[in-house]
Amino acid sequence: MIFTLSALGPALPELLLAVSAVILILFGAIAGPKSTDTVNGLALAAIFAALVLVILGPSEATLFNGSFQLDAYARFLKVLALLAAGSTLAMSVDWLKVEKQARFEFAILVILSTLGMMMLISAGDLIALYMGLELMSLALYVVAANNRDSVRSTEAGLKYFVLGALSSGMLLYGASLIYGFTGSVNFLHIAAAAQEPTLGLIFGIVFIFAGLCFKVSAVPFHMWTPDVYEGAPTPVTTFFAGAPKVAAMAVFVRVAIEALPHVVHQWQQIVVFVSIASMLLGSFAAIGQRNIKRLMAYSSIGHMGYALVGLAAGTEQGVRGVLVYMTIYVAMTLGTFACILSMRRKEGMVENYDDLAGLARTSPVKAFLLAALMFSLAGIPPLAGFLAKYYVFLAAIQAGLYTLAVIGVLSSVVGAFYYLRIVKVMYFDEPAEAFEPMPTELRAVLGIAGLFTLLFFVYPAPLLAAAGAAARALF
Amino acid sequence: MSLAALFFYLFAAVAVASAFMVIASRNPVHSVLFLILTFVNAAGLFILIGAEFLAMLLVVVYVGAVAVLFLFVVMMLDVDFVELRQGFLQYLPVGALVGLVFLAELVLVFGSWTFGEGVTGAVLPAAAGVSNTVQIGRVLYTDYVYFFQAAGLVLLVAMIGAIVLTLRHKTNVKRQSIPVQNARTKAAAIDVVKVPSGKGL
């Protein structure tokens, strides 16, 4: 077999990220702590270059005996994950510097984690899935404890690490069962072998899904989320809420649809249960939260529940719904976290939602955009969040899952309470002390995310078409 | 009894005996040394079944790195092993029970084990004239190169993570600087002071 380097072309974005991480670590180690700004800039450039390569690169390819597959689905999600990771990195730089937590390793760990996400999104077999997942998570555990002098940050890192290792164990156990009962690790071969549900296969599916539910923080594997979100430094929380969720959801959908298409009825029950439980917990548990990072943690649990409604349908419509949902979720989350990152007073960061009191009078534009994002998170028409929910519920109804859709709509009504309470605090409460001015990159992210959620309904066709093409690639 | 069988019983007996001594010896350093002996004998057993690559790996990785690391930890940690060992015999019945359960399970598994249809035929025969090491190398760097590289990146992240979380640059520590030491001259280093007698400095 003659092997040419050009055969690796489809994996060029991944190669670029891996090589740039290695070069940057060398550069940072030689140049010392003063090189942090340069490393951050170069890391951003690397993520941007990878984004360009994904967009311009080949649209379909299979590499490494099917372990790495590039299709419309993978490209769509890679673009989303890279956008989320890149904008998070851009938003973190200034914050970390002000809080004196800036280190050049942070950007490198973000790059390596993003590389893991891209491998995860492109995974074509169970080994690639596990390697990608570990690469992504291991870097996340470290950045969670980035502020190593703070007890809460180290606690967040340790808690995430221990529970993450447990979930990896479950995932591996499930993978070994599936390998044992189907005779292959490749998704397509598994699909060919798993024509009917055997007991061992079902056990394998349950364990793999448990591991993946942990990564998307779906109930009942969500326990780590609020503590880790609250304890980790806010830019790290922003990172957690965006790109890793996209990658984990991507591989969740790929395993379910691509590897297990003939046993839909078996895994559908799991996904329906997880989805209902996540939606309900996300709506009810957030009501008592005062810390806005904790609130966003419960909000993200709820949103993962809504996204899983699309997967529960198990149809092309449903997968398209998941993709649209994840895109809009990332936009809304990044926008909201841009606001949270700017909640800084002279004495330091504040994290309670009461601190937003009267924001409409102290900085009206920010309050307006944040209010739009909150309405959108609550799913109020005609904002983007409503359309996202509309597509997943539509797919669920078309698949005959009426109970799931009804529970989803009802829990979204309950969830609206705590989003609207933030709007009420901003618009009707007595103004608190004003925040420090927002850095430019936070303004940019908040502006783009806010306008996207406000104006998505005017011209949703391009995103719907791209998500539709991506979903078709799986069927 | 053939020579191979003789060596099998030799390695196996020493391995079991030294494994027992790992938990039975009073001195933890002796325990680790017995552990190394167990590893070496296990490596001998691997060689007997023709897995020479695994045997070398066991010696290099476990004896060369892991066991020596154990030794360091045991010698550096201030743990009172005598106290830790109190009540060792007390747990013996429970431990023996667990061991018996495992033994029963093993007997049950091996007694009822059957290969599925066509499974035995699916095992690839060893290529003639090619050693294990070459074969593993051929597969590892061709079919599994993607996972090999990915595993390398995971280890890189682990290394960066360990450094990020634990390395601290201490500022008020005096470090040796050889060029500065070499650059010192007699004029710079020695100061001759005239001390008036009877007064001191």
Side-chain angles (χ1 to χ4, degrees), chain A residues 1 18 22 25 33 64-65 67-68 103 105 108-109 112 115 119 122 125 127-128 131 134-135 138-139 142 145-146 148-149, chain B residues 139 141-169:
Chain A
M1 190 182 78
V22 174
I25 195 86
F64 306 116
N65 301 324
S67 308
F68 180 92
R103 291 224 200 86
E105 290 99 337
I108 292 162
L109 286 168
L112 284 166
L115 172 63
M119 289 168 58
S122 270
D125 63 25
I127 307 180
M131 298 309 291
E134 281 308 298
L135 184 56
L138 205 57
V142 179
N146 189 52
R148 59 189 183 183
D149 295 323
Chain B
V139 180
Y141 298 111
T142 54
D143 290 354
Y144 293 94
V145 67
Y146 179 53
F147 309 132
F148 185 69
Q149 293 294 335
L153 284 170
V154 171
L155 290 178
L156 177 69
V157 171
M159 197 182 83
I160 299 174
I163 294 174
V164 167
L165 295 181
T166 55
L167 182 71
R168 283 171 199 277
H169 292 286

Side-chain angles (χ1 to χ4, degrees), chain A residues 152-165:
Chain A
R152 281 163 71 208
S153 176
T154 39
E155 185 203 327
L158 187 66
K159 194 172 260 181
Y160 194 24
F161 174 67
V162 172
L163 291 174

Side-chain angles (χ1 to χ4, degrees), chain A residues 228-383:
Chain A
V228 173
Y229 271 44
E230 192 188 352
T234 315
V236 175
T237 312
T238 315
F239 189 50
F240 282 176
K245 292 275 163 69
V246 173
M249 189 56 90
V251 80
F252 204 154
V253 172
R254 201 192 269 282
V255 168
I257 302 291
E258 203 171 79
L260 307 162
H262 305 298
V263 284
V264 174
H265 289 292
Q266 272 66 39
W267 58 254
Q268 200 175 37
Q269 300 166 14
I270 308 174
V271 177
V272 166
F273 167 73
V274 165
S275 166
I276 290 178
S278 305
M279 290 188 295
L280 291 179
L281 186 112
S283 305
F284 283 100
I287 290 175
Q289 305 303 327
R290 290 169 50 79
N291 183 303
I292 198 157
K293 280 160 80 182
R294 248 185 130 74
L295 192 108
M296 286 307 287
Y298 284 107
S299 156
S300 87
I301 294 172
H303 283 290
M304 289 303 120
Y306 294 116
L308 285 172
V309 170
L311 176 61
T315 56
E316 198 184 312
Q317 288 287 316
V319 174
R320 189 188 71 161
V322 175
L323 295 178
V324 173
Y325 202 98
M326 289 313 289
T327 314
I328 292 171
Y329 163 77
V330 165
M332 295 186 299
T333 308
L334 287 180
T336 312
F337 270 101
C339 279
I340 299 176
L341 281 167
S342 71
M343 287 168 66
R344 179 193 302 284
R345 297 227 168 89
K346 275 189 210 71
E347 64 272 16
M349 298 299 299
V350 286
E351 287 181 354
N352 285 346
Y353 74 83
D354 315 348
D355 295 311
L356 287 167
L359 192 69
R361 266 174 279 178
T362 50
S363 46
V365 179
K366 186 169 148 188
F368 174 73
L369 288 174
L370 186 57
L373 287 167
M374 285 300 140
F375 279 122
S376 176
L377 282 167
I380 288 169
L383 297 166

